[in-house]
């Protein structure tokens, strides 16, 4: 196995095996965590799909597509669980570090939450349009190692990276009006045709590993899953149930729409969408955020009673909306 040296403008240090990219080595299908002392019965992790590979470096960022954020605005904004317990991990928002809300849904935070929950079954509540695909893969790997039952409940949407996380559940439940979305790993990249070929080679093992995981979890063939991923497939609750992405429907009384949370979700999501649109136009994420801040002000500058960055700046709503529409 060799490390491929980095060239200017190209992904850094992709590990290769016999000339093929190997960003990480998946665990064998029968791999499982060691049985903790004192645990009686089955260790749940044994029945979950194998671990997914992680990149040797993280200089290529895998993100949600702007159109996914638009769909999340329609069906996911403000959707929350009616009840919560002390063994529940919530994933409401972007996967990874969300710069605009200063929140994190990362492997590090999930590991800390699992440690706090301890030797108990866990529920994971998801309402997310995705985010950092590689962080989603890392969270999947963390959850699949939990030695107790993991129940995933899709409250509004589990798209892109969030759909990968959902596959770590021993049981997956979804609302009738909720959605799964699966697609190939989506990134922003710049360069010439040789750079693009290298980026494609870098991404191929991750798409292949995700297809294998979806197939193993759902019972579908890999060929079918690849077709769904290529087509960026959205599945309602009933379709997700039919195709094996979920095992049961959530009852309506388990899900509600929090209007305050909805207003916050929509405001922050517009900023995320604008950032992604600028990145797609060739800006770095740092530059995109700086340009947006010149218009809206610094995140957190709003009055203390408003927890959405910039939400108190009512005079900026129309300019921001116009700028976003212009870039689209």
């Amino acid at each position: 196995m060799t490390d491929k040296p980095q060239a200017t403008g190209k992904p850094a240090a992709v590990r290769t095996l016999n000339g093929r990219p190997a960003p990480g080595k998946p665990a064998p299908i029968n791999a499982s965590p060691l049985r903790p002392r004192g645990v009686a019965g089955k260790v749940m992790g044994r029945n979950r799909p194998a671990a997914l590979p992680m990149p040797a470096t993280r200089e290529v960022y895998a993100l949600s597509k702007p159109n996914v954020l638009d769909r999340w605005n329609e069906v996911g904004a403000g959707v929350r669980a009616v009840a919560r317990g002390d063994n529940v991990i919530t994933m409401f928002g972007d996967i990874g570090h969300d710069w605009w809300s200063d929140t994190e849904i990362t492997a590090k935070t999930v590991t800390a939450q699992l440690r706090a929950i301890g030797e108990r079954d866990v529920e994971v509540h998801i309402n997310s349009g995705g985010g950092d695909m590689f962080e989603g893969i890392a969270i999947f790997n963390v959850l699949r190692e939990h030695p107790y039952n993991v129940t995933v409940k899709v409250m509004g949407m589990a798209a892109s990276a969030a759909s990968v996380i959902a596959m770590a559940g021993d049981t997956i439940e979804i609302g009738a009006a909720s959605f799964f979305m699966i697609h190939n790993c989506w990134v922003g990249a710049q360069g010439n045709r040789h750079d693009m070929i290298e980026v494609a080679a870098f991404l191929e093992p991750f798409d292949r590993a995700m297809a294998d995981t979806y197939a193993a979890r759902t019972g579908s063939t890999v060929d079918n899953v690849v077709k769904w991923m290529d087509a960026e497939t959205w599945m309602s609750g009933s379709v997700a149930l039919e195709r094996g992405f979920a095992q049961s429907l959530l009852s309506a009384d388990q899900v509600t729409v929090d209007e305050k949370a909805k207003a916050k979700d929509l405001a922050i999501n517009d900023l995320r969408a604008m950032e992604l649109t600028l990145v797609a136009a060739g800006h770095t994420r740092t530059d995109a955020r700086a340009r947006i801040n010149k218009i809206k002000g610094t995140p957190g500058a709003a009055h203390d009673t408003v927890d959405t960055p910039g939400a108190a700046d009512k005079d900026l709503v129309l300019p921001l909306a116009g700028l976003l529409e212009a870039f689209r």
Side-chain angles (χ1 to χ4, degrees):
M1 182 173 286
T2 62
D3 285 338
K4 188 174 183 180
Q6 180 183 8
T8 302
K10 297 184 178 181
V14 179
R15 293 167 64 81
T16 60
L17 178 61
N18 297 328
R20 297 194 65 185
K25 184 179 180 181
I29 293 297
N30 62 352
S32 62
L34 294 176
R35 180 181 293 268
R37 292 180 181 178
V39 173
K42 179 170 58 179
V43 175
M44 303 307 297
R46 295 179 186 275
N47 297 325
R48 300 183 192 131
L52 286 167
M54 286 292 293
T57 64
R58 291 291 297 277
E59 297 201 12
V60 174
Y61 294 97
L63 308 169
S64 288
K65 296 173 65 176
N67 71 299
V68 177
L69 298 182
D70 292 339
R71 187 70 174 268
W72 189 81
N73 280 346
E74 296 174 8
V75 302
V79 176
R80 299 291 188 267
V82 171
R84 284 184 54 187
D86 62 357
N87 68 329
V88 173
I89 297 174
T90 59
M91 300 183 184
F92 299 147
D94 257 21
I95 305 303
H97 176 74
D98 183 10
W99 194 79
W100 294 107
S101 64
D102 195 27
T103 58
E104 283 196 357
I105 302 173
T106 63
K108 181 178 179 180
T109 59
V110 171
T111 298
Q113 289 170 300
L114 287 173
R115 188 180 299 117
I117 291 170
E119 298 180 353
R120 291 188 290 164
D121 293 347
V122 172
E123 282 191 13
V124 180
H125 296 176
I126 297 178
N127 182 19
S128 172
D132 184 336
M133 178 64 77
F134 297 138
E135 196 65 57
I137 289 172
I139 293 171
F140 166 88
N141 288 337
V142 168
L143 286 173
R144 67 173 294 280
E145 295 296 333
H146 185 63
Y148 295 86
N149 190 70
V150 176
T151 299
V152 170
K153 296 184 177 183
V154 179
M155 299 294 178
M157 178 185 293
S160 190
S163 72
V164 175
I165 294 171
M167 295 298 101
D170 297 290
T171 303
I172 305 170
E173 302 175 10
I174 186 171
S178 300
F179 287 89
F180 262 100
M181 187 278 278
I182 62 172
H183 64 172
N184 294 312
C185 196
W186 192 87
V187 302
Q190 292 178 280
N192 60 36
R193 61 189 175 89
H194 301 293
D195 300 321
M196 298 300 102
I197 290 171
E198 185 166 345
V199 171
F202 175 85
L203 294 175
E204 192 273 337
F206 299 107
D207 289 338
R208 185 175 66 245
M210 287 190 295
D212 289 342
T213 297
Y214 288 134
R217 187 65 184 78
T218 65
S220 298
T221 66
V222 173
D223 287 344
N224 276 339
V225 171
V226 167
K227 291 176 183 177
W228 295 333
M229 291 172 65
D230 287 345
E232 187 177 284
T233 299
W234 293 83
M235 292 171 277
S236 65
S238 59
V239 174
L241 201 64
E242 178 184 333
R243 293 181 177 176
F245 284 85
Q247 285 73 57
S248 61
L249 291 177
L250 286 168
S251 59
D253 60 4
Q254 293 189 52
V255 180
T256 187
V257 176
D258 183 321
E259 293 300 329
K260 183 178 179 180
K262 181 176 182 178
K264 177 180 177 179
D265 289 348
L266 291 173
I268 295 179
N269 227 30
D270 278 345
L271 297 174
R272 293 177 186 135
M274 189 182 303
E275 177 192 342
L276 290 176
T277 303
L278 288 170
V279 169
H283 297 274
T284 65
R285 300 188 78 183
T286 300
D287 182 51
R289 291 163 179 169
R291 287 173 180 267
I292 294 170
N293 274 334
K294 286 180 181 179
I295 299 173
K296 68 165 288 297
T298 305
H303 191 273
D304 288 344
T305 57
V306 181
D307 55 2
T308 301
D313 304 322
K314 294 182 179 179
D315 293 340
L316 294 176
V317 173
L318 289 178
L320 281 170
L323 179 61
L324 182 58
E325 188 61 32
F327 276 107
R328 285 176 177 165

